[in-house]
């Protein structure tokens, strides 16, 4: 493939990933790495580096819309970012010492979880409106505009557990070059019992900071190739922006099944390739 | 309803939130513009028949993986370094966001959160400069 041909193919693929990721609300990062490694034969390290860059682009692009709506809790986000940034730096260093086949195998397992997660319905698990946070000085609480413009109040429970799970999300993000939004939402929504909308918007807000922490390490280790990262970043960004304009709620369910199917097939292929030692 | 909860709700219309949203959007747009500019320049200069392959990992050269040399080469019109500079601007966007949050928390004298924000900021800068 000539360079121009390669750039156009990567741009188109990334745009589809960004579009699907934005329409399903799951982010496109998780499919970029398998697309580059399985279909285009890109080395896993270059693929992870390019994917991480696209994650920062979509997170920062999308978060700007959410901040205005007043759902993002900046205190809770900043507190948990302590865990994700430390985790992300550890994950990025881990990526440079682990065998690519091991990373590929972990990636495959994470893809299976993402496929399952994408099929799970949205909704508040059990929002703790009367919960009292064990660490009052951290003010891990807030409110958001409810349906009738009345504020809905909430507070975080089990902050230590949530903090630990966020550390894991950071490690996965740094190790695999993904946003790991699913784990972040899980930590806030299921573990800290925060409202679903607060969890997803705060997670999106945090993804960029987490990714920036490991991007520095990747850059210094030479994982970020400009010629590969350019079409990935621009493609995912274009797809995500297009997706935000198109957002049609009615067809989301079919898209989720499509996304889960694609991710599931990729998971099997990643695991097979890693087990064969060809990553 | 405690005082802090009331303040958090009014915070939904706080101008600092608007600033953060705008900062992120403008940062991404500038970064993308620099990457597009460098990319077009790169493709225009690349030999037509040059093959590309990312199948083998070599790691990027010093000139494309160190902050100082990336910007130095980008200013001298090196297309790949220009793309890399755009990517650095993108990485800088969430970092600037954390800095803005630290300033905002310090302004409302929330020292705990100003401290947390500064710690996160320190980690980010450390990973980029010395990581």
């Amino acid at each position: 493939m000539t360079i121009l041909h390669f750039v156009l193919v990567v741009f188109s693929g990334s745009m589809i990933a960004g579009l699907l990721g934005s329409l399903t609300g799951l982010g496109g990062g998780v499919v970029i790495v398998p697309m580059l490694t399985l279909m285009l034969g890109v080395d896993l390290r270059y693929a992870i580096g390019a994917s991480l860059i696209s994650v920062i682009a979509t997170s920062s692009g999308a978060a700007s819309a959410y901040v205005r709506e007043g759902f993002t809790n900046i205190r809770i986000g900043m507190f948990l970012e302590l865990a994700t940034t430390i985790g992300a730096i550890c994950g990025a260093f881990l990526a440079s010492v682990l065998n690519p086949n091991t990373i590929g195998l972990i990636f495959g397992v994470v893809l299976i979880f993402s496929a399952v997660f994408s099929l799970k319905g949205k909704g508040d698990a059990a929002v703790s409106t009367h919960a009292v946070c064990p660490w009052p000085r951290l003010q891990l609480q807030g409110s958001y505009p409810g349906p009738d413009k009345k504020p809905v109040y909430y507070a975080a429970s089990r902050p230590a557990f949530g903090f630990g799970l966020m550390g894991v999300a950071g490690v996965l993000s740094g190790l695999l070059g993904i946003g790991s939004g699913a784990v972040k939402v899980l930590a806030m929504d299921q573990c800290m019992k925060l409202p679903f909308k607060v969890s997803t918007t705060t997670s999106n807000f945090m993804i960029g900071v987490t990714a920036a922490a490991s991007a520095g390490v990747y850059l210094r280790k030479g994982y970020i190739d400009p010629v590969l990262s350019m079409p990935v970043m621009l493609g995912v960004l274009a797809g995500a922006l297009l997706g935000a304009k198109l957002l049609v709620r009615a067809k989301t369910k079919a898209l989720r099944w499509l996304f889960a199917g694609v991710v599931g097939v990729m998971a099997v292929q990643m695991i097979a390739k890693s087990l064969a030692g060809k990553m | 309803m405690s005082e802090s909860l009331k303040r958090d709700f009014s915070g939904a219309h706080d101008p600092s939130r608007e600033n953060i949203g705008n900062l992120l959007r403008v940062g991404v747009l500038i970064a993308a513009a620099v990457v597009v500019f460098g990319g077009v320049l790169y493709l225009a200069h690349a030999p037509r028949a040059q093959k590309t392959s990312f199948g083998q990992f070599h790691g990027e050269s010093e000139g494309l993986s160190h902050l100082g040399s990336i910007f130095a080469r980008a200013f001298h019109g090196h297309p790949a370094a220009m793309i890399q500079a755009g990517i650095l601007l993108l990485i800088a966007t969430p970092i600037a966001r954390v800095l803005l949050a630290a300033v905002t928390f310090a302004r409302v004298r929330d020292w705990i959160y100003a401290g947390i924000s500064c710690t996160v900021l320190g980690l980010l800068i450390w990973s980029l400069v010395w990581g």
Side-chain angles (χ1 to χ4, degrees), chain A residues 43 68 72 81 138 225, chain B residues 17 22 54 60 97 110 113:
Chain A
D43 182 272
R68 283 157 201 259
T72 308
E81 267 164 15
L138 285 176
D225 183 274
Chain B
R17 290 194 183 226
N22 288 335
F54 292 99
E60 296 306 308
R97 201 279 266 165
D110 186 338
Y113 275 92

Side-chain angles (χ1 to χ4, degrees), chain B residues 4-85:
Chain B
S4 66
L5 282 180
K6 271 184 197 158
R7 195 178 63 220
D8 273 359
F9 181 62
S10 62
H13 306 287
D14 183 341
S16 67
R17 290 194 183 226
E18 286 278 323
N19 286 342
I20 290 176
N22 288 335
L23 175 84
L24 291 170
R25 185 169 296 172
V26 170
V28 172
L29 283 180
I30 294 174
V34 174
V35 169
V36 168
F37 187 73
V40 169
L41 219 60
Y42 183 90
L43 291 173
H45 285 280
R48 210 161 268 277
Q50 190 184 325
K51 301 281 180 192
T52 173
S53 163
F54 292 99
Q56 297 267 289
F57 181 75
H58 306 292
E60 296 306 308
S61 62
E62 281 277 302
L64 291 176
S65 58
H66 283 248
L67 295 187
S69 46
I70 289 172
F71 283 114
R73 291 172 78 178
F75 277 118
H76 284 96
H78 189 285
M82 255 183 230
I83 301 175
Q84 212 74 328

Side-chain angles (χ1 to χ4, degrees), chain A residues 14-34:
Chain A
S14 305
M15 194 165 145
I16 295 168
L19 184 63
L20 257 178
S22 141
L23 287 176
T24 54
L26 298 160
V30 83
V31 295
I32 293 291
V33 173

Side-chain angles (χ1 to χ4, degrees), chain A residues 1-4 6-7 41-43 45-46 53-54 56-57 59-61 63-65 67-68 70-76 78-79 81-82 85-86 89 93 137-145 149-151 153-154 205-206 208-209 212-217 219-230 233-234 237, chain B residues 1-2 4-9 12 17-18 20-22 24-25 28 31-32 35-36 38-40 42-43 46 48-52 54-60 64-67 70 80-81 83-84 86-88 90-91 93-95 97-98 101-102 105 108 110 112-113 116-117 119-120 123-124 126-131:
Chain A
M1 257 192 262
T2 64
I3 285 186
L4 185 62
F6 180 83
V7 164
V42 173
D43 182 272
R45 283 156 283 199
Y46 284 135
I53 295 305
S54 75
I56 303 178
S59 164
S60 298
S64 58
V67 183
R68 283 157 201 259
F71 288 102
T72 308
N73 189 312
I74 295 178
R75 281 203 180 85
I76 293 179
M78 193 58 75
F79 166 67
E81 267 164 15
L82 262 183
T85 43
I86 294 169
I89 293 172
F93 277 112
R137 293 193 63 182
L138 285 176
Q139 303 179 58
L140 300 174
Q141 65 216 1
S143 64
Y144 61 89
K149 300 266 174 193
K150 269 188 176 172
Y153 296 97
Y154 59 86
F205 202 52
M206 294 171 62
V209 176
S214 30
V217 181
L219 187 79
R220 310 265 311 176
K221 299 237 179 244
Y223 283 30
I224 294 171
D225 183 274
V227 182
L228 181 66
S229 304
M230 168 196 47
M233 169 193 156
L234 296 176
L237 195 57
Chain B
M1 194 198 306
S2 75
S4 66
L5 282 180
K6 271 184 197 158
R7 195 178 63 220
D8 273 359
F9 181 62
R17 290 194 183 226
E18 286 278 323
I20 290 176
N22 288 335
L24 291 170
R25 185 169 296 172
V28 172
V35 169
V36 168
V40 169
Y42 183 90
L43 291 173
R48 210 161 268 277
Q50 190 184 325
K51 301 281 180 192
T52 173
F54 292 99
Q56 297 267 289
F57 181 75
H58 306 292
E60 296 306 308
L64 291 176
S65 58
H66 283 248
L67 295 187
I70 289 172
I83 301 175
Q84 212 74 328
I87 290 171
L88 272 175
L90 186 71
I91 298 174
T93 304
I95 300 180
R97 201 279 266 165
V98 175
F105 283 127
V108 297
D110 186 338
I112 292 178
Y113 275 92
I116 291 177
S117 307
T119 311
V120 172
L123 284 166
L124 291 171
W126 176 82
S127 79
L128 195 60
V129 181
W130 294 284

Side-chain angles (χ1 to χ4, degrees), chain A residues 10 14 30 36 38 45 50 79 96 114 129 149 214 242 258-259:
Chain A
V10 173
S14 305
V30 83
L36 292 175
L38 299 171
R45 283 156 283 199
F79 166 67
S96 63
S114 306
T129 40
K149 300 266 174 193
S214 30
L242 192 66
L258 177 69
F259 191 84

